[in-house]
Amino acid sequence: MNFGNHQNLIAILQASLTPVVLISGVGLLLLSMTNRIARPLDRIRFLGKELKTASKPDQTFYLRQIEILYTRCFLLQKAIFAAVISIISTSIIILLIFFMTIYSFNLYFVVDFVFIVGLLALIISLFYFMCDIQASLKSVQIEMNRLKTNYPDINVKWNNIRSIENKLIKCQISIACQIDYANLVAPIN
């Protein structure tokens, strides 16, 4: 065990670099998730207050929204938990690499296992995150259906917006294809 050896220190830092980058990336994802969970929680509190004075149709609508918002909170809670497990696993990997380098322990099997656990936790976190996005879109769909029922001319406006949106997408695709073609042809000339 030679703590004064600069080569050992360099080896530890090099071996720890990739897990540290993974922690940084998952940390940003975690920040996004914690910001996302605050919104449905605040919305549930707001709708709970509105529910007391709302008419019967509005109460039904609010209860459906609260149910979806609660589902989103549940999904985000699971996503955050899995992301934290991923960060903890990666931190353990850094410690194991340190012990392997300093004390010459053979912990490769343990590092492999913890790395797999961390990646699986990250995959699970992303799955729950994706489910949250689907649930939020369902909530918007319910709101749109309510608006279409209460305001029939919104259908006409909505269809016009969708038509314009489709034209913009086609235009963006066309421009992107032209740019890609120009980039492909330019090096040849």
Side-chain angles (χ1 to χ4, degrees), residues 24-179:
S24 177
V26 176
L28 287 173
L29 184 64
L30 191 58
L31 178 65
S32 171
M33 290 178 193
T34 55
N35 285 338
R36 279 185 69 86
I37 200 169
R39 183 74 176 134
L41 288 172
D42 291 342
R43 190 79 179 134
I44 287 172
R45 289 184 188 106
F46 174 77
L47 290 176
K49 290 177 186 174
E50 292 292 315
L51 194 60
K52 296 174 186 171
T53 58
S55 65
K56 197 68 172 167
D58 285 341
Q59 284 180 347
T60 304
F61 172 74
Y62 290 159
L63 288 173
R64 284 184 71 197
Q65 289 291 336
I66 289 172
E67 183 181 327
I68 291 171
L69 291 168
Y70 180 76
T71 301
R72 287 189 57 204
C73 290
F74 175 79
L75 293 169
L76 285 167
Q77 176 193 20
K78 299 296 181 194
I80 290 168
F81 180 76
V84 168
I85 294 296
S86 179
I87 290 175
I88 290 171
S89 298
T90 308
S91 300
I92 291 171
I93 289 171
I94 294 171
L95 284 174
L96 291 172
I97 290 171
F98 174 78
F99 288 125
M100 286 171 55
T101 306
I102 293 295
Y103 300 111
S104 300
F105 290 153
N106 184 2
L107 301 172
Y108 293 107
F109 177 75
V110 178
V111 169
D112 290 346
F113 176 75
V114 175
F115 183 70
I116 289 169
V117 168
L119 284 183
L120 287 175
L122 179 59
I123 291 168
I124 290 168
S125 175
L126 292 172
F127 172 76
Y128 280 118
F129 190 61
M130 187 175 59
C131 290
D132 166 60
I133 291 170
Q134 288 299 109
S136 65
L137 290 175
K138 183 177 180 181
S139 177
V140 171
Q141 184 180 27
I142 291 170
E143 179 71 27
M144 285 303 298
N145 290 339
R146 181 175 185 228
L147 287 172
K148 287 178 183 179
T149 303
N150 292 342
Y151 305 100
D153 3 328
I154 204 167
N155 274 335
V156 174
K157 291 177 183 175
W158 179 252
N159 290 336
N160 288 341
I161 291 171
R162 294 296 262 181
S163 173
I164 292 169
E165 183 181 64
N166 288 335
K167 288 177 185 174
L168 283 173
I169 290 171
K170 288 177 185 175
C171 180
Q172 288 172 346
I173 291 171
S174 173
I175 290 170
C177 289
Q178 289 173 1
I179 291 171

